[in-house]
Amino acid sequence: MPASSLSSLTELTPSRRAALKVSYTARALDARRPTHVLTGPDVRPRPGDLVVATVSRIGRHTRLESAQGRRRHLFPGDEVLVAYGARYAPDQFEAEAPSDLGPCDLVAAGGIAGLVSTAHEDVPEPTRLLPVGLAADAEGRRTSMADLAAPAPPAPLHAVPTVAVVGTSMNAGKTTTVAHLVRGLAAAGYRVGAAKVTGTGAGGDRWMFHDAGADTVLDFTDDGLATTYRVPAERVARGAAALHDRLTAAGAQAVVLEVADGLMQPETAALLRDGALRSRVDGWVFAAGALYGHERLRTAGLPVAGVAGRFTASPLAAREAAGLLDVPVLSRDELADPAVAAGLTAHPLVGAVQGRTA
């Protein structure tokens, strides 16, 4: 949207552009940083808009994750390029996307600017940001995450074995489960694609999946979303399906997807009901900090291929769970075992659909 009579367009000097600390979420602009900022009383940011902001106070997040994955130290006075968005993180912050260019918070190290509404009692106050203006071009058109989305993928010509990992909550062991499953499938000879389809923009999980052996790794930021919290369910589902199709188009022979947050999180619950993703997933692995919830997946009609997660760090808890369940309880080492990982793609409920065509 071009600048209006009530907005102001300011050019960023070359030195300011060079010094700008670009976040992971805004990484597509690292090489071609915004030339201008848009401000004014009628400028209303939208979720996903990119904003240049000054760090006014250091709090919870002392570093900003860069486009390359390095966590750069933050100092008062630094100018950063981040994206507006909401955050759902019971162990840290609950935050909403701001509706104006007033002071706001850095609610995620990956580069999300929001307004904290609640916080875990053990978490320090958020790092404070003072927006300079929305990232814009010389004509005053604002830049949003949607502008940075990868091109729409072609319709896949065939299906690939796909396992999705969902869990009870934040820190249930979902990312670790995905990484070890990726490692096992890669060791079994698969060319593996991995994607995080919901959550808050950050690169740590992406780098972990690469390091585990995934050939191609994507997340929802590649589909133009800074976060998926407060995003309409149909948009989240469409993005998840598109990420799966991009991995297939890139030549993945097996795909592992992570669905962030927990079963009670609204976007997660809606995604599990959506036919677009369900039709692409052959088996689900349930990651838990404590053993509960996998029956909810079955009630929803989703084939549970195994249970994993943080609770398996206790051999006693894993043994007790195995005595109660009729699906495998899988430790990290077992997930990384080629035979076990390959066996998940051949689960009886999986094998029945492996030969389908898209």
Side-chain angles (χ1 to χ4, degrees), residues 166 272-273 278 284 294 296-304 349:
V166 66
L272 298 184
R273 294 191 297 266
R278 290 168 65 120
W284 296 75
H294 80 286
R296 292 188 63 176
L297 296 183
R298 282 185 164 166
T299 301
L302 301 173
V304 181
L349 288 173

Side-chain angles (χ1 to χ4, degrees), residues 204-217:
D205 295 352
R206 186 187 200 110
W207 315 131
M208 188 176 186
F209 299 162
H210 268 303
D211 292 343
D215 184 78
T216 304
V217 181

Side-chain angles (χ1 to χ4, degrees), residues 174-246:
K174 297 180 298 295
T175 300
T176 300
T177 296
V178 170
H180 284 78
L181 183 53
V182 165
R183 189 160 185 81
L185 289 169
Y190 288 91
R191 184 177 182 184
V192 185
K196 185 169 184 175
V197 299
T198 64
T200 302
D205 295 352
R206 186 187 200 110
W207 315 131
M208 188 176 186
F209 299 162
H210 268 303
D211 292 343
D215 184 78
T216 304
V217 181
L218 300 172
D219 65 27
F220 49 87
T221 64
D222 295 299
D223 198 60
L225 295 174
T227 76
T228 55
Y229 185 43
R230 301 299 196 196
V231 174
E234 62 274 11
R235 174 66 182 89
V236 176
R238 186 171 71 250
L243 291 174
H244 182 275
D245 292 349
R246 286 192 182 100

Side-chain angles (χ1 to χ4, degrees), residues 32-358:
R32 47 187 181 89
R33 302 180 178 200
T35 58
H36 295 71
V37 289
L38 185 65
T39 60
D42 65 339
V43 176
R44 294 286 181 259
R46 300 180 293 256
D49 281 346
L50 297 180
V51 58
V52 175
T54 302
V55 176
S56 60
R57 184 193 68 204
I58 302 297
R60 166 68 180 87
H61 292 103
T62 62
R63 302 184 187 188
L64 184 72
E65 186 177 15
S66 72
Q68 295 76 31
R70 185 169 78 84
R71 291 188 173 240
R72 303 182 66 182
H73 290 271
L74 291 175
F75 297 90
D78 280 347
E79 287 191 332
V80 297
L81 181 64
V82 295
Y84 280 118
R87 188 177 188 193
Y88 176 98
D91 289 357
Q92 290 196 36
F93 299 126
E94 178 187 13
E96 302 295 339
S99 59
D100 59 39
L101 291 176
C104 59
D105 306 306
L106 180 65
V107 299
I112 304 298
L115 287 172
V116 170
S117 54
T118 67
H120 192 284
E121 63 180 17
D122 293 335
V123 175
E125 291 186 353
T127 291
R128 199 69 170 156
L129 300 177
L130 182 61
V132 176
L134 297 183
D137 63 15
E139 284 71 45
R141 289 183 290 264
R142 65 178 72 188
T143 303
S144 75
M145 291 291 298
D147 300 321
L148 309 180
L157 299 178
H158 61 87
V160 297
T162 299
V163 178
V165 176
V166 66
T168 52
S169 63
M170 184 180 182
N171 294 328
K174 297 180 298 295
T175 300
T176 300
T177 296
V178 170
H180 284 78
L181 183 53
V182 165
R183 189 160 185 81
L185 289 169
Y190 288 91
R191 184 177 182 184
V192 185
K196 185 169 184 175
V197 299
T198 64
T200 302
D205 295 352
R206 186 187 200 110
W207 315 131
M208 188 176 186
F209 299 162
H210 268 303
D211 292 343
D215 184 78
T216 304
V217 181
L218 300 172
D219 65 27
F220 49 87
T221 64
D222 295 299
D223 198 60
L225 295 174
T227 76
T228 55
Y229 185 43
R230 301 299 196 196
V231 174
E234 62 274 11
R235 174 66 182 89
V236 176
R238 186 171 71 250
L243 291 174
H244 182 275
D245 292 349
R246 286 192 182 100
L247 294 173
T248 302
Q253 297 169 322
V255 170
V256 186
L257 305 176
E258 179 185 351
V259 181
D261 303 314
L263 295 175
M264 293 184 290
Q265 203 266 6
E267 286 74 28
T268 298
L271 188 60
L272 298 184
R273 294 191 297 266
D274 189 270
L277 184 63
R278 290 168 65 120
S279 66
R280 289 165 167 81
V281 176
D282 302 315
W284 296 75
V285 173
F286 184 71
L291 188 60
Y292 71 90
H294 80 286
E295 284 299 332
R296 292 188 63 176
L297 296 183
R298 282 185 164 166
T299 301
L302 301 173
V304 181
V307 174
R310 187 159 50 86
F311 85 98
T312 64
S314 166
L316 176 58
R319 188 170 69 247
E320 289 177 341
L324 297 172
L325 302 176
D326 59 357
V327 295
V329 175
L330 303 167
S331 69
R332 289 178 294 179
D333 289 343
E334 288 170 324
L335 288 165
D337 183 280
V340 173
L344 287 175
T345 67
H347 183 270
L349 288 173
V350 177
V353 293
Q354 272 189 4
R356 75 188 190 282
T357 56

